[in-house]
Amino acid sequence: MSNTHADTVAYVRDTMLQQQDPPSNTIGMVGWAKGNLFGGWMNTVLTVLSTLFIIWIVLHIVPWFISPTWDATSLTQCRELLEGTSGACWGVIRERWPQLLFGFYPSELYWRPVLALVLLFVALAPILFAGYVTPKLLAFSAAYPFLAAWLLWGGTIWGPVMAALGFVAGYFAFALVQRVIAPGLAFWVGVLAAIVWWAVISPFMTPDLARVLPLALESVQSRQFGGFLLSITIGVTAIMCSLPIGILLALGRRSDLPLVKWLCVGFIEFIRGVPLITLLFVASTLLNIFLPPGTNFDIILRVMIMVTLFASAYMAEVIRGGLAALPKGQYEGADSLGLDYWQAQRLIIMPQALKISIPGIVSTFIGVFKDTTLVSIIGLLDPLGLANAIRADANWNGIYWELFIFIGAVFFIFCFSMSRYSMYLERKLRTGHR
């Protein structure tokens, strides 16, 4: 019966089919376009309309960008070169780009901020990329802030050297007290030693050292800073200082010590509840009222402090979110290993919290860098402030788009670079879900 049934079956395959390639219209660019651009009549209509709109935009924008006005020396000459047609007046960028980048910094000293920027990338290499971590580069990274301040402002080298030695004195005092006397007081003794060095020893020794070894660069006043030099100086300082301060504030807000907790909570909520421009006005005008008469507190230093404190409050909340996202088992695991509080934070808790917080941290960095344009409100000539000053010149009165496009392009390069590094770091540390 079974044999008769088998003979009546039309076809029974006894071999496997060879694997076939998918249809050509479902893979590659053709497949992507069919699935995303022409997947139905509605998508097809929207694709055609969008393409026509993009073509119309390009046909109008590209001729405006490629206008032959690079050699123009005024807006009137640009209009003469354009002969009644619309186009950008790029002569203002050719003529004023050094001012937009360096402000009123002496032109013969441009090499100093350029060198400081190049050395910044060298100092950041061991911090941002694990493959460049060497003891020499780490030592250079620690010394870079003092070297950069000397390059930018000039003067005797002994001022930055004595400032750096204050941290060294604080570290040795901390290590000595921690090992010999009372570990609980080590931190405060280190802070006190650094303050004594900066307030008492440094002012006494610096003039004598400057006379004995007069190693100095030509001094540059803060009022000569401007343009992207000012924005990068303030932004980089705030970014570098706000992260460690934000970490301490986040830990303090989660502390079991009531005084520490409420001090941190009060600081964070006060700073986050006040607009940055209000803090800048305080730094510009009100702060001198509370200082002794005759005190010369550099305006850029005041702004750096206020922007850093502002960024630190937001950074603290970002890092606190990362700490809150960690499961309780991580803390219990640290306790089971016999680690004290700071060992647990350094080895187990904080590395994971920072990995989780990478997107928020970089977003805060980008926001801080863009917020440096607010200093134009208090009289500092950032790129936007300089753009207004350039437009006040009779030769360039009426220029708008060209200056703002150039400024926006430079800001985009910096901010986009930070964003791409954030994505690279997330992929490297595998912070996302796979």
Side-chain angles (χ1 to χ4, degrees), residues 18-45:
Q18 293 294 328
Q19 184 175 359
Q20 301 294 321
D21 294 331
S24 59
N25 61 350
T26 62
I27 60 174
M29 289 297 298
V30 175
W32 180 88
K34 183 177 180 181
N36 295 277
L37 302 179
F38 302 100
W41 69 269
M42 179 63 73
N43 284 351
T44 302
V45 171

Side-chain angles (χ1 to χ4, degrees), residues 251 254 319-332 334 344-345 347-357:
L251 294 176
R254 294 170 57 88
I319 296 172
R320 186 171 69 91
L323 292 171
L326 289 180
K328 188 178 180 180
Q330 298 295 321
Y331 296 89
E332 295 174 347
Q345 293 294 335
L347 299 175
I348 296 179
I349 306 302
M350 194 53 64
Q352 298 182 73
L354 293 177
K355 285 167 58 178
I356 296 172
S357 306

Side-chain angles (χ1 to χ4, degrees), residues 181-195:
I181 305 176
L185 298 176
F187 174 78
W188 301 108
V189 172
V191 171
L192 180 61
I195 293 175

Side-chain angles (χ1 to χ4, degrees), residues 275-288 299 302-303 306 374-379:
L276 176 58
I277 190 156
T278 303
L279 298 176
L280 293 178
F281 274 118
V282 171
S284 175
T285 58
L286 299 180
L287 194 59
N288 281 338
I299 179 62
R302 283 181 270 161
V303 170
M306 285 301 180
L374 292 175
V375 300
S376 61
I377 304 297
I378 59 173

Side-chain angles (χ1 to χ4, degrees), residues 42-385:
M42 179 63 73
N43 284 351
T44 302
V45 171
L46 291 176
T47 299
V48 172
L49 292 177
S50 301
T51 303
L52 294 176
F53 178 73
I54 292 172
I55 293 174
W56 180 81
I57 291 291
V58 170
L59 291 177
H60 284 76
I61 289 182
V62 171
W64 187 87
F65 271 95
I66 62 176
S67 62
T69 56
W70 283 100
D71 295 326
T73 57
S74 66
L75 180 59
T76 302
Q77 189 175 357
C78 284
R79 290 170 177 169
E80 293 174 355
L81 292 173
L82 292 172
E83 298 178 350
T85 61
S86 63
C89 185
W90 297 118
V92 65
I93 304 300
R94 180 194 60 80
E95 182 178 297
R96 297 299 185 98
W97 71 266
Q99 189 176 4
L100 289 170
L101 293 182
F102 300 102
F104 300 102
Y105 208 87
S107 58
E108 67 275 11
L109 302 179
Y110 282 170
W111 64 271
R112 283 161 49 177
V114 171
L115 178 60
L117 181 63
V118 173
L119 294 179
L120 171 64
F121 293 110
V122 177
L124 289 177
I127 300 173
L128 301 181
F129 303 100
Y132 295 93
V133 178
T134 63
K136 292 182 179 180
L137 275 180
L138 286 175
F140 177 77
S141 299
Y144 172 77
F146 309 99
L147 176 61
W150 182 55
L151 285 173
L152 293 177
W153 276 274
T156 178
I157 195 175
W158 295 110
V161 168
M162 297 301 287
L165 290 178
F167 289 97
V168 176
Y171 171 77
F172 278 110
F174 168 81
L176 179 63
V177 174
Q178 187 180 36
R179 292 181 180 180
V180 178
I181 305 176
L185 298 176
F187 174 78
W188 301 108
V189 172
V191 171
L192 180 61
I195 293 175
V196 169
W197 181 277
W198 291 325
V200 179
I201 301 177
S202 178
F204 176 75
M205 295 182 59
T206 301
D208 294 333
L209 290 172
R211 284 191 295 268
V212 174
L213 292 175
L215 302 176
L217 293 173
E218 181 181 343
S219 296
V220 178
Q221 300 299 318
S222 292
R223 62 175 179 270
Q224 296 176 279
F225 282 55
F228 282 100
L229 172 60
L230 179 63
S231 293
I232 293 174
T233 302
I234 297 174
V236 169
T237 302
I239 287 171
M240 291 175 59
C241 298
S242 64
L243 182 59
I245 296 175
I247 291 175
L248 294 177
L249 288 172
L251 294 176
R253 183 160 189 168
R254 294 170 57 88
S255 174
D256 295 330
L257 301 175
L259 179 60
V260 173
K261 178 177 180 178
W262 289 112
L263 283 176
C264 293
V265 169
F267 174 84
I268 293 171
E269 296 303 328
F270 173 76
I271 295 295
R272 293 176 71 234
V274 177
L276 176 58
I277 190 156
T278 303
L279 298 176
L280 293 178
F281 274 118
V282 171
S284 175
T285 58
L286 299 180
L287 194 59
N288 281 338
I289 298 175
F290 302 98
L291 296 175
T295 302
N296 184 18
F297 199 172
D298 188 87
I299 179 62
I300 294 182
L301 180 59
R302 283 181 270 161
V303 170
M304 286 179 180
I305 293 173
M306 285 301 180
V307 176
T308 299
L309 295 179
F310 181 82
S312 299
Y314 283 87
M315 189 65 64
E317 289 300 279
V318 171
I319 296 172
R320 186 171 69 91
L323 292 171
L326 289 180
K328 188 178 180 180
Q330 298 295 321
Y331 296 89
E332 295 174 347
D335 293 337
S336 67
L337 293 174
L339 302 178
D340 61 27
Y341 177 81
W342 293 110
Q343 290 175 332
Q345 293 294 335
R346 181 171 60 90
L347 299 175
I348 296 179
I349 306 302
M350 194 53 64
Q352 298 182 73
L354 293 177
K355 285 167 58 178
I356 296 172
S357 306
I358 285 175
I361 290 173
V362 176
S363 296
T364 303
F365 287 167
I366 293 174
V368 169
F369 182 63
K370 293 188 294 184
D371 284 344
T372 57
T373 56
L374 292 175
V375 300
S376 61
I377 304 297
I378 59 173
L380 295 180
L381 293 179
D382 74 310
L384 293 182

